[in-house]
Amino acid sequence: MRRVASIVVLVTALSAPSGVQAGEEWSTRFATTFQESCVPQRLSYEGTLAQAREVGWDVFAPAGQSEFGALMAKSAAAFEAAKADMPGMSFRAQTFARDVEGRMLHLVVSLMLSESLDAIGCYLYDFEATEPVAAAAVSDVLGVKPAQSHSDETVVSHLWGPPPSMPRTLDTYLTFIPPGSPHAEQAGFDGQMLKFSTSQPREDEE
């Protein structure tokens, strides 16, 4: 089950640098970009892919961006390791890119199927970020305050528990890793990441 969690989360850094935050306007824009892309169809993998296209995301090959390529390679390696312990597990993902106010953001929509959990993941990345997004902007989207927060010079991260307004959605993570941080190698990127995963309903639950 621990290996399953590593696939669902992709990045499990829950420490998280104090200091200057991104401006309120950009923090809100980043959070609302995640909201419009990931929330409306969060119970459906195919629905989330369609939603991403509807709001302007274009399919993008990870190899076209060095950090994105390294991140997805780490994810693929973790999945292959997990398969050895959990026969029958499958994983697939679609990657996107989109210009948002002059900044190139990247989106990953994933689906992991296993005996214990079918999980849809939605991950928003800003690899150019040099300041962390304000947690308050994400709280406004989720309707709850962070359950855990940590900040030091190497990583800034916040964790929200399952939001009551979004049944079946699990924890939400906002993680900022500054350039040069020792966490960048482990995580596979530096910059800003916002993600959550949702338990996809199975036929016998519908």
Side-chain angles (χ1 to χ4, degrees), residues 5-60:
S6 69
I7 296 295
V8 175
V9 174
L10 283 182
V11 178
T12 57
L14 182 57
S15 19
S18 51
V20 179
Q21 292 184 332
E24 180 179 354
E25 183 175 345
W26 175 251
S27 292
T28 298
R29 188 70 183 96
F30 187 79
T32 56
T33 296
F34 179 85
Q35 180 181 31
E36 69 183 9
S37 305
C38 299
V39 172
Q41 295 292 329
R42 61 195 172 77
L43 297 176
S44 166
Y45 175 68
E46 295 297 337
T48 301
L49 296 181
Q51 176 69 17
R53 297 186 188 98
E54 183 176 330
V55 297
W57 291 95
D58 294 318
V59 174
F60 182 85

Side-chain angles (χ1 to χ4, degrees), residues 97-119:
R98 174 183 164 192
D99 183 287
V100 177
E101 298 184 7
R103 296 173 74 157
M104 187 58 66
L105 303 185
H106 294 85
L107 185 77
V108 180
V109 180
S110 67
L111 176 63
M112 185 203 69
L113 303 176
S114 70
E115 292 183 1
S116 59
L117 177 70
D118 294 344

Side-chain angles (χ1 to χ4, degrees), residues 36-161:
E36 69 183 9
S37 305
C38 299
V39 172
Q41 295 292 329
R42 61 195 172 77
L43 297 176
S44 166
Y45 175 68
E46 295 297 337
T48 301
L49 296 181
Q51 176 69 17
R53 297 186 188 98
E54 183 176 330
V55 297
W57 291 95
D58 294 318
V59 174
F60 182 85
Q65 208 280 355
S66 58
E67 280 188 295
F68 203 13
L71 178 67
M72 295 308 293
K74 279 184 173 289
S75 174
F79 171 67
E80 288 301 319
K83 282 173 59 178
D85 293 339
M86 300 189 65
M89 178 190 292
S90 65
F91 179 82
R92 64 182 185 269
Q94 181 64 70
T95 54
F96 299 90
R98 174 183 164 192
D99 183 287
V100 177
E101 298 184 7
R103 296 173 74 157
M104 187 58 66
L105 303 185
H106 294 85
L107 185 77
V108 180
V109 180
S110 67
L111 176 63
M112 185 203 69
L113 303 176
S114 70
E115 292 183 1
S116 59
L117 177 70
D118 294 344
I120 302 160
C122 204
Y123 310 75
L124 178 63
Y125 293 94
D126 179 4
F127 297 119
E128 299 176 5
T130 57
E131 299 172 347
V133 162
V138 178
S139 292
D140 288 344
V141 169
L142 299 176
V144 292
K145 294 181 178 180
Q148 297 180 33
S149 296
H150 177 79
S151 179
D152 62 36
E153 69 278 5
T154 64
V155 59
V156 176
S157 188
H158 308 275
L159 163 68
W160 290 258

Side-chain angles (χ1 to χ4, degrees), residues 162-176:
S165 62
M166 302 179 195
R168 303 189 73 93
T169 292
L170 308 176
D171 293 343
T172 299
Y173 296 82
L174 177 69
T175 303
F176 172 71

